[in-house]
């Protein structure tokens, strides 16, 4: 790393524009959302991403072989950090008595929140992931949140269950590992965008289910409760879009022909709910402005470098680079 890029308490103000068309080979897919902002942008994106090819519940097992396999050929489990399941092997959908016995089809946005096996949500791959059965059972249909793990902690403290410690809610919540918090945040942004017209119905008819009312507010916009939205926005910022998410988004698009825009456009949530909600979205000249205070020393070398669309880079490139440091922080620098 060129140490001239870093100094103690450096203030960077960065504007970055990218793509002649949409990102990740999406072409004109998002064109009808061009120029929209805030709630209007959310509704425009709903109109784009809602239509797709439906899957059957049985087809999901085969889909996971395309969407959720690690580089070592094993199932990519975001609830447990110790599993090594063979795709389609004997552990697929098997009974379990402990962590590591089997994997199943997890609705990260619990299906009880929208009425069980109701389509098209029930088989929407954008919120369905293969996860360890035992850990998934512990998660149940509790909302996502931050906690101390006093009710349950998976192997090596990877994920945990306990009383919410995030301001605004005090019920039981499930906390995924930091490595995947941004993934799940962008999944929830997708769900309340894609199904915004259904949110009032879910709130009215299934609000008695654990996690519904702490998570959604019964409106089309904002859709998420204040504490949940604030927390998920934080998660998305702290865990930016990864290559895993980009590859999965592309794979899901191939299967069901719709995309998660919050993966294609890192930071898009700011244009809908956050600091940029009064700015117009541009699908082919998407821009982000970041102000970062960086405090480093010679011992604080970066551990990974990414492009703005989440691709892992072997070294710094010209333009905007997102750097992960040893302390887990992400900073943005230009070169």
């Amino acid at each position: 790393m060129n140490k001239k890029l870093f100094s103690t308490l450096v203030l960077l103000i960065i504007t970055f524009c990218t793509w002649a068309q949409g990102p990740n080979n999406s072409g004109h897919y998002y064109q009808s959302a061009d120029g929209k902002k805030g709630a209007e942008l959310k509704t425009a994106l709903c109109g784009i991403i809602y239509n797709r090819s439906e899957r059957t519940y049985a087809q999901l097992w085969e889909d996971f072989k395309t969407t959720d396999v690690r580089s070592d050929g094993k199932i990519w489990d975001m609830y447990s950090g110790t599993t090594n399941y063979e795709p389609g092997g004997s552990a697929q959908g098997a009974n379990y008595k402990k962590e590591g016995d089997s994997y199943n089809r997890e609705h990260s946005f619990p299906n009880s929140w929208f009425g069980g096996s109701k389509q098209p949500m029930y088989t929407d791959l954008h919120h369905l992931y293969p996860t360890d059965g035992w850990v998934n059972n512990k998660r149940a249909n509790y909302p996502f949140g931050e906690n101390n793990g006093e009710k349950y902690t998976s192997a090596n403290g990877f994920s945990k269950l306990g009383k919410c410690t995030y301001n605004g809610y005090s019920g039981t919540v499930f906390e995924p590992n930091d490595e995947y918090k941004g993934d799940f945040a962008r999944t929830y942004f997708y769900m309340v965008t894609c199904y915004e017209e259904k949110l009032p119905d879910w709130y009215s008819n299934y609000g008695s289910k654990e996690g519904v009312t702490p998570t959604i507010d019964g409106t089309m916009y904002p859709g998420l409760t204040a504490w949940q939205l604030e927390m998920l926005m934080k998660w998305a910022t702290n865990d930016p879009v990864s290559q895993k998410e980009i590859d999965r988004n592309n794979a899901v698009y191939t299967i069901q022909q719709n995309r998660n825009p919050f993966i294609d456009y890192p930071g898009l949530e700011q244009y809908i709910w956050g600091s940029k909600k009064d700015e117009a979205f541009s699908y082919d000249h998407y821009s982000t402005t970041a102000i970062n205070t960086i405090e480093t020393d010679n011992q604080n070398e970066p551990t990974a470098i990414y492009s703005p669309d989440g691709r892992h880079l072997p070294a710094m490139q010209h333009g905007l680079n997102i750097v992960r440091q040893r302390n887990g922080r992400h900073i943005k620098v230009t070169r």
Side-chain angles (χ1 to χ4, degrees):
M1 170 62 62
N2 185 345
K3 290 186 176 59
K4 291 182 180 180
L5 294 172
F6 297 95
S7 64
T8 301
L9 299 177
V10 176
L11 183 67
L12 297 177
I13 302 178
I14 306 157
T15 299
F16 180 71
C17 298
T18 184
W19 309 307
Q21 293 182 13
N24 302 320
N25 298 312
S26 58
H28 299 289
Y29 181 76
Y30 295 106
Q31 188 170 19
S32 61
D34 203 55
K36 305 296 194 300
K37 62 182 73 172
E40 185 182 28
L41 173 58
K42 182 172 179 285
T43 297
L45 290 169
C46 172
I48 294 169
I49 66 180
Y50 184 82
N51 294 318
R52 62 181 179 279
S53 301
E54 275 188 27
R55 310 299 289 163
T56 68
Y57 196 54
Q59 285 176 313
L60 297 177
W61 292 126
E62 196 65 26
D63 295 338
F64 287 158
K65 295 178 183 178
T66 301
T67 61
D68 293 274
V69 176
R70 304 183 313 221
S71 59
D72 64 358
K74 302 298 179 64
I75 286 292
W76 204 316
D77 184 349
M78 296 200 294
Y79 277 8
S80 172
T82 62
T83 58
N84 285 287
Y85 296 123
E86 294 286 346
S90 60
Q92 176 181 292
N95 293 329
Y96 51 81
K97 293 183 179 180
K98 63 183 186 306
E99 185 175 354
D101 282 348
S102 69
Y103 71 95
N104 55 19
R105 294 160 289 192
E106 159 69 333
H107 294 86
S108 62
F109 192 95
N111 61 4
S112 63
W113 295 3
F114 55 74
S117 58
K118 288 191 174 183
Q119 295 286 23
M121 299 77 64
Y122 190 58
T123 57
D124 187 341
L125 278 163
H126 282 297
H127 82 113
L128 274 150
Y129 300 97
T131 63
D132 182 82
W134 180 260
V135 181
N136 185 13
N137 180 63
K138 294 294 185 181
R139 188 267 163 112
N141 61 355
Y142 292 113
F144 283 134
E146 297 176 3
N147 66 86
N148 293 319
E150 70 276 6
K151 290 182 178 290
Y152 171 75
T153 301
S154 69
N156 300 323
F158 195 78
S159 55
K160 51 191 177 180
L161 187 75
K163 181 180 178 179
C164 187
T165 57
Y166 199 90
N167 187 43
Y169 185 61
S170 59
T172 300
V173 294
F174 180 83
E175 182 174 355
N177 191 267
D178 288 350
E179 182 179 0
Y180 300 118
K181 283 179 176 174
D183 303 52
F184 288 121
R186 286 176 280 275
T187 295
Y188 272 44
F189 297 153
Y190 166 88
M191 290 297 288
V192 297
T193 299
C194 184
Y195 301 108
E196 69 169 18
E197 294 182 354
K198 298 180 183 293
L199 297 179
D201 174 71
W202 296 352
Y203 187 89
S204 297
N205 293 316
Y206 310 110
S208 61
K209 302 292 185 182
E210 183 72 51
V212 177
T213 51
T215 302
I216 61 175
D217 66 357
T219 69
M220 291 172 57
Y221 183 87
L224 291 162
T225 57
W227 80 271
Q228 180 83 169
L229 179 58
E230 181 184 85
M231 184 193 72
L232 293 176
M233 295 279 277
K234 182 190 75 170
W235 285 10
T237 298
N238 291 345
D239 176 32
V241 175
S242 66
Q243 187 63 44
K244 172 198 184 300
E245 292 175 86
I246 294 170
D247 292 343
R248 189 180 198 276
N249 193 27
N250 290 335
V252 172
Y253 178 70
T254 299
I255 294 169
Q256 65 179 40
Q257 296 299 297
N258 79 325
R259 307 184 66 84
N260 183 339
F262 299 94
I263 295 172
D264 284 327
Y265 293 95
L268 176 62
E269 61 274 8
Q270 295 295 335
Y271 283 82
I272 296 177
W273 298 284
S275 61
K276 294 178 177 292
K277 64 183 179 182
D278 294 324
E279 296 182 28
F281 167 76
S282 175
Y283 88 101
D284 59 348
H285 289 86
Y286 181 71
S287 65
T288 61
T289 301
I291 301 176
N292 295 279
T293 299
I294 306 168
E295 185 171 3
T296 68
D297 55 41
N298 290 337
Q299 305 302 315
N300 201 4
E301 290 295 322
T303 59
I305 304 169
Y306 303 91
S307 64
D309 62 6
R311 291 179 296 108
H312 184 268
L313 302 176
M316 293 288 290
Q317 295 185 356
H318 290 289
L320 182 64
N321 295 266
I322 299 172
V323 177
R324 175 177 289 171
Q325 296 177 274
R326 293 188 189 282
N327 60 11
R329 294 174 57 231
H330 290 79
I331 60 174
K332 300 178 182 181
V333 297
T334 53
R335 183 181 186 185

